[in-house]
Amino acid sequence: MSLLKKYKWTWILLVLCLIMAGYLLWTTYAKPKLPIIRPVESFSLENVDGRNITLEDTNGKVRLFYFFFSSCPDVCPVTTFRLSQVQDLLKDKGMFGKDAEIISISFDPERDTREAIKAFGDKFKADYSGWYFLRGDQQKIMDLAMNSFKILINEDQNNNFVHMDLIGLVDRDGNLRNIYRPESTPQEIAQGVIDLAK
């Protein structure tokens, strides 16, 4: 008892130090979970191999969604290249195809045949074991982009498209958790996938 009284302030200081150290560790390493933005609508679209792929087929994995068209003259090739870098980063972690997938959806089914989008994917060394290139009914795809991701796609009278260049991060249960903008780096996007897969 006398020992406790004698070193009372030392013990108090030690306890305070331990509390501060615990708080610093928690704020440094405990990343807050991304909130659920909204559930992604169900879909059924044709993959480059001719199979129909649904949202439910891909559940259980963290997914990156990107809406594109293969004849895009500007942002689609740049963003698809960035996704290929994300693919490589996830492969290095042993996660690609197992815990994480990429889903690229064309909204130009007239020109984007299976062969056309396969050739587009090949340019970026897409690994089709974990990267889907999908096509289907244009209006349904535009509705999916708008309703689930708030991505606007417009087509003019000359069949030219204007669209938002965004990547959606979707959790294992089919909920949108984040949107990546053009300035997001491959490392930042891959880390988002890794964090959500934990």
Side-chain angles (χ1 to χ4, degrees):
M1 187 71 176
S2 59
L3 190 65
L4 279 175
K5 279 186 177 179
K6 186 175 180 183
Y7 295 105
K8 178 173 119 179
W9 292 109
T10 305
W11 286 110
I12 289 171
L13 191 60
L14 182 62
V15 168
L16 286 173
C17 286
L18 286 171
I19 290 168
M20 276 304 283
Y23 174 76
L24 287 171
L25 279 171
W26 182 79
T27 55
T28 303
Y29 296 105
K31 293 183 180 173
K33 279 279 187 189
L34 293 167
I36 292 173
I37 299 171
R38 73 184 65 85
V40 173
E41 289 182 354
S42 189
F43 59 79
S44 179
L45 298 167
E46 183 185 36
N47 192 28
V48 290
D49 60 7
R51 289 184 305 133
N52 264 22
I53 302 296
T54 67
L55 175 70
E56 292 72 25
D57 291 334
T58 67
N59 277 347
K61 296 176 184 176
V62 176
R63 292 144 286 176
L64 293 168
F65 277 77
Y66 182 60
F67 293 86
F68 79 104
F69 65 114
S70 68
S71 56
C72 175
D74 42 44
V75 296
C76 299
V78 172
T79 301
T80 303
F81 175 67
R82 200 160 26 123
L83 286 169
S84 74
Q85 294 175 299
V86 173
Q87 169 190 261
D88 294 342
L89 290 167
L90 294 174
K91 277 184 160 187
D92 290 345
K93 296 282 185 185
M95 296 179 67
F96 190 75
K98 184 179 131 214
D99 294 302
E101 293 177 333
I102 300 171
I103 300 174
S104 292
I105 303 176
S106 168
F107 46 80
D108 187 12
E110 201 171 303
R111 287 176 286 196
D112 279 348
T113 61
R114 286 191 346 232
E115 295 74 23
I117 57 177
K118 171 80 163 55
F120 182 78
D122 288 348
K123 281 186 207 171
F124 298 98
K125 297 183 173 54
D127 179 346
Y128 298 104
S129 69
W131 194 340
Y132 297 102
F133 282 82
L134 305 178
R135 61 187 299 279
D137 179 81
Q138 185 180 59
Q139 191 55 56
K140 286 182 179 173
I141 288 168
M142 288 181 169
D143 291 344
L144 173 68
M146 175 52 79
N147 296 339
S148 294
F149 299 93
K150 301 304 177 205
I151 292 174
L152 184 63
I153 303 164
N154 279 322
E155 183 180 13
D156 67 19
Q157 296 166 342
N158 301 318
N159 300 108
N160 295 316
F161 293 99
V162 176
H163 67 102
M164 297 167 79
D165 186 38
L166 303 171
I167 299 168
L169 175 66
V170 175
D171 66 21
R172 294 179 188 270
D173 299 318
N175 298 304
L176 178 65
R177 302 295 284 272
N178 201 5
I179 292 283
Y180 294 106
R181 302 188 177 282
E183 61 271 17
S184 302
T185 66
Q187 292 77 14
E188 181 185 347
I189 298 168
Q191 192 59 54
V193 172
I194 292 162
D195 290 345
L196 205 51
K198 286 179 183 173

